[in-house]
mmCIF file of all heavy atoms in Angstrom:
data_model
loop_
_atom_site.group_PDB
_atom_site.id
_atom_site.type_symbol
_atom_site.label_atom_id
_atom_site.label_comp_id
_atom_site.label_asym_id
_atom_site.label_seq_id
_atom_site.Cartn_x
_atom_site.Cartn_y
_atom_site.Cartn_z
ATOM 1 N N THR S 3 2.032 5.202 0.349
ATOM 2 C CA THR S 3 1.999 6.062 1.501
ATOM 3 C C THR S 3 0.691 7.026 1.437
ATOM 4 O O THR S 3 0.103 7.202 2.463
ATOM 5 C CB THR S 3 3.096 7.039 1.502
ATOM 6 O OG1 THR S 3 4.406 6.400 1.556
ATOM 7 C CG2 THR S 3 3.176 8.057 2.685
ATOM 8 N N ILE S 38 -3.943 17.843 0.141
ATOM 9 C CA ILE S 38 -4.284 19.272 -0.200
ATOM 10 C C ILE S 38 -5.833 19.397 0.292
ATOM 11 O O ILE S 38 -6.692 18.621 -0.125
ATOM 12 C CB ILE S 38 -4.213 19.456 -1.645
ATOM 13 C CG1 ILE S 38 -2.769 19.338 -2.068
ATOM 14 C CG2 ILE S 38 -4.693 20.766 -2.113
ATOM 15 C CD1 ILE S 38 -2.535 19.410 -3.632
ATOM 16 N N GLU S 39 -6.015 20.442 0.943
ATOM 17 C CA GLU S 39 -7.434 20.835 1.319
ATOM 18 C C GLU S 39 -7.811 21.962 0.411
ATOM 19 O O GLU S 39 -7.161 23.002 0.420
ATOM 20 C CB GLU S 39 -7.500 21.162 2.776
ATOM 21 C CG GLU S 39 -8.714 21.542 3.243
ATOM 22 C CD GLU S 39 -8.882 22.085 4.585
ATOM 23 O OE1 GLU S 39 -7.863 21.988 5.324
ATOM 24 O OE2 GLU S 39 -9.934 22.484 5.107
ATOM 25 N N VAL S 48 -20.855 32.230 -14.849
ATOM 26 C CA VAL S 48 -21.655 30.999 -15.366
ATOM 27 C C VAL S 48 -21.292 30.806 -16.789
ATOM 28 O O VAL S 48 -21.496 31.810 -17.575
ATOM 29 C CB VAL S 48 -23.101 31.144 -15.130
ATOM 30 C CG1 VAL S 48 -23.916 30.029 -15.549
ATOM 31 C CG2 VAL S 48 -23.474 31.408 -13.680
ATOM 32 N N ALA S 62 -10.718 39.664 -25.479
ATOM 33 C CA ALA S 62 -10.371 39.600 -26.835
ATOM 34 C C ALA S 62 -10.072 40.987 -27.420
ATOM 35 O O ALA S 62 -9.104 41.113 -28.285
ATOM 36 C CB ALA S 62 -11.517 39.028 -27.656
ATOM 37 N N ILE S 129 -4.712 24.459 0.451
ATOM 38 C CA ILE S 129 -3.589 24.128 1.444
ATOM 39 C C ILE S 129 -2.992 22.814 1.252
ATOM 40 O O ILE S 129 -3.649 21.777 1.210
ATOM 41 C CB ILE S 129 -4.124 24.337 2.917
ATOM 42 C CG1 ILE S 129 -4.722 25.853 3.020
ATOM 43 C CG2 ILE S 129 -2.922 24.223 3.839
ATOM 44 C CD1 ILE S 129 -5.370 26.006 4.418
ATOM 45 N N LEU S 168 -5.896 35.954 -28.881
ATOM 46 C CA LEU S 168 -4.578 35.829 -28.215
ATOM 47 C C LEU S 168 -3.500 35.599 -29.377
ATOM 48 O O LEU S 168 -2.471 36.205 -29.297
ATOM 49 C CB LEU S 168 -4.581 34.731 -27.264
ATOM 50 C CG LEU S 168 -3.366 34.465 -26.456
ATOM 51 C CD1 LEU S 168 -2.835 35.768 -25.714
ATOM 52 C CD2 LEU S 168 -3.411 33.342 -25.519
ATOM 53 N N ASN S 199 29.796 58.740 -44.419
ATOM 54 C CA ASN S 199 30.157 60.078 -44.949
ATOM 55 C C ASN S 199 29.709 61.099 -43.901
ATOM 56 O O ASN S 199 28.664 61.057 -43.330
ATOM 57 C CB ASN S 199 29.352 60.293 -46.255
ATOM 58 C CG ASN S 199 29.862 59.427 -47.356
ATOM 59 O OD1 ASN S 199 30.953 58.909 -47.290
ATOM 60 N ND2 ASN S 199 29.052 59.199 -48.349
ATOM 61 N N ARG S 215 34.278 77.839 -37.452
ATOM 62 C CA ARG S 215 33.729 77.930 -36.044
ATOM 63 C C ARG S 215 32.196 77.808 -36.174
ATOM 64 O O ARG S 215 31.708 77.771 -37.267
ATOM 65 C CB ARG S 215 34.063 79.260 -35.460
ATOM 66 C CG ARG S 215 35.533 79.402 -35.163
ATOM 67 C CD ARG S 215 35.690 80.892 -34.523
ATOM 68 N NE ARG S 215 37.021 81.120 -34.031
ATOM 69 C CZ ARG S 215 37.986 81.566 -34.890
ATOM 70 N NH1 ARG S 215 37.831 81.762 -36.136
ATOM 71 N NH2 ARG S 215 39.275 81.785 -34.370
ATOM 72 N N SER S 249 29.585 65.466 -37.823
ATOM 73 C CA SER S 249 30.890 66.178 -38.278
ATOM 74 C C SER S 249 31.584 66.973 -37.296
ATOM 75 O O SER S 249 32.721 67.350 -37.530
ATOM 76 C CB SER S 249 30.452 67.134 -39.470
ATOM 77 O OG SER S 249 29.881 66.351 -40.548
ATOM 78 N N VAL S 323 42.106 54.728 -23.377
ATOM 79 C CA VAL S 323 42.998 54.231 -22.370
ATOM 80 C C VAL S 323 42.218 53.975 -20.977
ATOM 81 O O VAL S 323 42.780 53.422 -20.095
ATOM 82 C CB VAL S 323 44.134 55.138 -22.084
ATOM 83 C CG1 VAL S 323 45.092 55.128 -23.354
ATOM 84 C CG2 VAL S 323 43.624 56.613 -21.819
ATOM 85 N N ASP S 357 30.841 52.020 -32.439
ATOM 86 C CA ASP S 357 31.489 51.076 -33.332
ATOM 87 C C ASP S 357 30.560 50.042 -33.888
ATOM 88 O O ASP S 357 30.770 49.338 -34.789
ATOM 89 C CB ASP S 357 32.684 50.297 -32.674
ATOM 90 C CG ASP S 357 32.255 49.671 -31.393
ATOM 91 O OD1 ASP S 357 31.023 49.740 -31.100
ATOM 92 O OD2 ASP S 357 33.131 49.063 -30.806
#
Side-chain angles (χ1 to χ4, degrees):
T3 304
I38 297 175
E39 180 184 357
V48 177
I129 301 174
L168 181 61
N199 293 337
R215 295 177 173 85
S249 302
V323 293
D357 56 3

